[in-house]
Amino acid sequence: MLAVHRRNPELVGPAAPTPRETKRLSVIDDQGTLRCHVPFLFFYHGRRRADEPSAVIRRALAEALVPYYPLAGRLREVEGRKLVVDCTGEGVMFIEADADVRLPG
């Protein structure tokens, strides 16, 4: 039986202040068929290092959200069912987990 220990979800925000604005999606990006959530799951081999891999990923994510700040915002629907990105700088969901399994390699 595989045991997984999942930590509490947390929001990782940009490492520096970002513009507070609203960006309209293009006609291509605003198609009804594209309105879905795509979860991601990444696996990393554990190595003994000074920094925990999750801390390195969390820090890099926060730094990446500065130039890509719309990703730290929220989608909002406005008149005519148009989607906009509300660049709030709230951050993205980050969940760390450990499992008692060995990855090949």
Side-chain angles (χ1 to χ4, degrees):
M1 189 74 161
L2 174 70
V4 176
H5 177 250
R6 179 182 147 176
R7 295 188 179 50
N8 290 329
E10 63 179 276
L11 287 176
V12 175
T18 57
R20 177 69 160 100
E21 59 189 10
T22 301
K23 294 187 173 283
R24 295 183 76 84
L25 295 185
S26 72
V27 174
I28 294 171
D29 295 324
D30 195 23
Q31 296 179 47
T33 56
L34 297 178
R35 293 185 181 196
C36 60
H37 175 74
V38 180
F40 291 94
L41 183 62
F42 297 100
F43 295 91
Y44 296 93
H45 288 280
R47 289 186 175 82
R48 300 289 180 216
R49 293 189 179 143
D51 290 335
E52 282 291 315
S54 61
V56 173
I57 295 167
R58 193 180 290 110
R59 199 167 39 249
L61 178 58
E63 290 177 20
L65 288 174
V66 176
Y68 296 101
Y69 64 91
L71 295 174
R74 299 294 177 263
L75 280 177
R76 196 164 40 92
E77 194 173 83
V78 294
E79 71 284 343
R81 292 203 39 151
K82 287 290 293 172
L83 287 179
V84 297
V85 177
D86 191 5
C87 300
T88 61
E90 291 177 56
V92 297
M93 183 74 66
F94 184 84
I95 304 173
E96 180 183 355
D98 291 309
D100 66 347
V101 65
R102 294 185 56 82
L103 298 175

